[in-house]
Amino acid sequence: MGRKPNTKAKVRKVLDTLEERYGRARFVSRFDPVDELVSCILSQHTADANSFPAFTRLRATFPEWQQVVDAGPERVADVVRKAGLANQKARSIINALKEVHRRVGGYSLEPLRAMEMRDARDWLMSLPGVGPKTASIVLCFSFGMAAIPVDTHVFRVSKRLGFVPEGADEKKAHDLLLEVVEPEDAFRYHTTLIQHGRKTCRAQRPLCDECPVRRMCVWLREQRRGEE
């Protein structure tokens, strides 16, 4: 517990330094919350280049969510085939939509806006096919809540900088990061670390000599100590 204030200061310093390199992303709500939810389910275990066209085709084929439910999993799977795991994702989408309708009385997630973030995240994670990353993306990008979606880049950079301890997985990291990232920094943490992970702190052959936060990197320090 005693390290958290220092860690929070380090997080803020890392963000400020990285934004000098990459700039600060401006928050813009991408989709209606239900659209975001379905889009995120489609994006699981595939690249955006596959999932976004599949989502666009789904919405063009079925303009109303009730039409998706009525179409059934086989027809929906045909429409979103390019997103991969189409049969599984079609079932998840339909079952999630049915559950939203059952709870809310329509295809809307607006009741979440009045909830505390963690309660809203738990609500979403109780839907079929929704884990912490999908739930956090919906809350972060559609509601502007202080949820931190942890993808492979955010997870890798967070571990290397020492914000997530060894032994923790991506699911656990969603809670651990909330303890060291200020709520108002949640969106910038997610977007900035993704950029850093893609461009510099890569999984293979990271560009450590070009990294603006290398002096704060626990992983790099341990790598160099091992070479001595």
Side-chain angles (χ1 to χ4, degrees):
M1 294 292 290
R3 294 182 64 235
K4 285 179 188 176
N6 291 336
T7 305
K8 287 184 176 182
K10 179 181 174 181
V11 168
R12 181 66 63 83
K13 186 175 181 180
V14 164
L15 292 178
D16 291 342
T17 303
L18 291 179
E19 286 173 348
E20 291 178 5
R21 168 75 61 88
Y22 307 114
R24 179 180 291 202
R26 185 170 63 91
F27 175 78
V28 177
S29 181
R30 298 193 301 189
F31 296 126
D32 166 88
V34 178
D35 286 58
E36 187 72 71
L37 173 65
V38 173
S39 175
C40 287
I41 292 174
L42 286 173
S43 73
Q44 294 168 0
H45 309 293
T46 193
D48 290 346
N50 298 322
S51 65
F52 281 148
F55 176 74
T56 299
R57 187 180 180 201
L58 179 70
R59 295 301 274 144
T61 305
F62 306 114
E64 303 295 331
W65 291 123
Q66 187 61 51
Q67 293 175 312
V68 174
V69 173
D70 292 341
E74 290 187 9
R75 175 68 178 120
V76 172
D78 286 340
V79 174
V80 301
R81 187 71 59 189
K82 290 186 178 181
L85 301 174
N87 294 333
Q88 174 184 321
K89 290 177 181 180
R91 289 193 298 271
S92 293
I93 288 169
I94 290 173
N95 290 334
L97 288 172
K98 286 181 177 179
E99 184 62 13
V100 168
H101 193 282
R102 185 188 71 80
R103 297 181 191 180
V104 179
Y107 298 110
S108 171
L109 294 176
E110 283 305 307
L112 299 185
R113 199 176 295 279
M115 296 184 184
E116 294 293 329
M117 187 279 289
R118 289 178 187 265
D119 292 338
R121 192 181 64 178
D122 288 344
W123 193 99
L124 286 169
M125 287 174 59
S126 67
L127 297 174
V130 178
K133 178 185 170 184
T134 294
S136 296
I137 290 174
V138 173
L139 296 178
C140 181
F141 282 89
S142 287
F143 292 103
M145 290 187 182
I148 303 173
V150 180
D151 73 347
T152 183
H153 300 295
V154 172
F155 183 62
R156 179 176 65 256
V157 178
S158 296
K159 286 192 71 175
R160 287 178 174 174
L161 289 169
F163 301 149
V164 173
E166 290 296 327
D169 58 15
E170 290 186 28
K171 181 177 181 180
K172 184 64 175 176
H174 283 85
D175 286 327
L176 292 170
L177 288 174
L178 293 178
E179 299 177 8
V180 296
V181 179
E182 296 289 359
E184 63 268 25
D185 290 333
F187 174 78
R188 65 189 288 233
Y189 187 91
H190 171 75
T191 54
T192 302
L193 265 65
I194 283 180
Q195 290 189 74
H196 189 54
R198 288 174 175 169
K199 298 176 180 179
T200 305
C201 192
R202 303 181 303 198
Q204 302 296 325
R205 296 187 295 278
L207 305 177
C208 296
D209 290 341
E210 301 177 16
C211 176
V213 295
R214 61 186 176 276
R215 296 185 183 278
M216 292 180 273
C217 181
V218 174
W219 179 83
L220 179 60
R221 185 163 59 246
E222 291 177 349
Q223 292 293 308
R224 290 180 172 172
R225 184 180 298 124
E227 294 171 359
E228 294 176 353

